[in-house]
Amino acid sequence: MINSGPTVYVLGGAGSGAPLYRFLNKCGFSIMTGVLHENDIDYHVGKALGARVIGEKAFEEISDQSFNKAVLLSQQVPYIVESGYPVGSFNRRNVDLTRHLLAYDKVIYSLRSSEEAGMLYGKDSAKMVFCPNYSNLLKKLKKYIP
């Protein structure tokens, strides 16, 4: 189901995004997500829900083309949510995407612990808004919706 509500850019992967997409979709948000590998369940669930998905070939590192597309599109979205996805060698550039967005003062809502975010994103993680669960995330997002 495609929604016309506010757009949320979700940084997901390895199944961490799928339940979040479903939740946000049921709450009326439009979803944009990536960079996701084409063999990832998040890729397929995102597509099934009508999300705009920035994809990458299975088992490949994120290309410059996919990364640049993600940077461009994520900068245009009012809400960024980092799902707490596991980080590996193939999706490491999503960490770079998050760092880039933080450097440009984008507010990022994170489902990670502040300690884990600190290890991944360094001092810029202090700019993130940490949400222990989906209901807390929704409460914080709705605070800014007109």
Side-chain angles (χ1 to χ4, degrees):
M1 174 172 109
I2 299 173
N3 287 312
S4 60
T7 301
V8 176
Y9 190 99
V10 178
L11 290 146
S16 68
L20 181 57
Y21 305 153
R22 289 183 186 110
F23 176 78
L24 291 169
N25 186 266
K26 285 179 184 177
C27 293
F29 290 92
S30 295
I31 312 279
M32 187 181 298
T33 187
V35 177
L36 297 171
H37 291 86
E38 293 170 353
N39 63 330
D40 191 318
I41 188 68
D42 289 349
Y43 178 91
H44 296 287
V45 171
K47 289 275 191 182
L49 291 173
R52 180 155 187 197
V53 178
I54 302 164
E56 185 56 77
K57 292 178 187 148
F59 306 109
E60 297 287 333
E61 291 184 11
I62 295 172
S63 67
D64 288 342
Q65 180 181 0
S66 295
F67 179 80
N68 292 335
K69 185 175 183 180
V71 167
L72 178 69
L73 293 174
S74 63
Q75 288 178 328
Q76 298 171 21
V77 173
Y79 307 104
I80 310 288
V81 178
E82 197 261 13
S83 70
Y85 61 91
V87 177
S89 58
F90 291 150
N91 70 344
R92 188 115 188 106
R93 289 192 81 184
N94 283 329
V95 172
D96 297 336
L97 174 59
T98 302
R99 286 183 179 142
H100 174 84
L101 293 168
L102 287 168
Y104 283 88
D105 294 325
K106 285 294 270 189
V107 175
I108 298 178
Y109 300 87
S110 180
L111 294 166
R112 289 186 196 278
S113 70
S114 59
E115 295 80 16
E116 185 180 0
M119 289 188 295
L120 280 174
Y121 308 118
K123 64 179 170 58
D124 282 340
S125 67
K127 300 176 188 175
M128 298 175 96
V129 177
F130 296 99
C131 306
N133 54 50
Y134 291 174
S135 62
N136 182 266
L137 171 65
L138 181 62
K139 185 177 176 183
K140 290 181 180 183
L141 289 174
K142 283 195 169 188
K143 185 175 168 182
Y144 299 101
I145 298 172

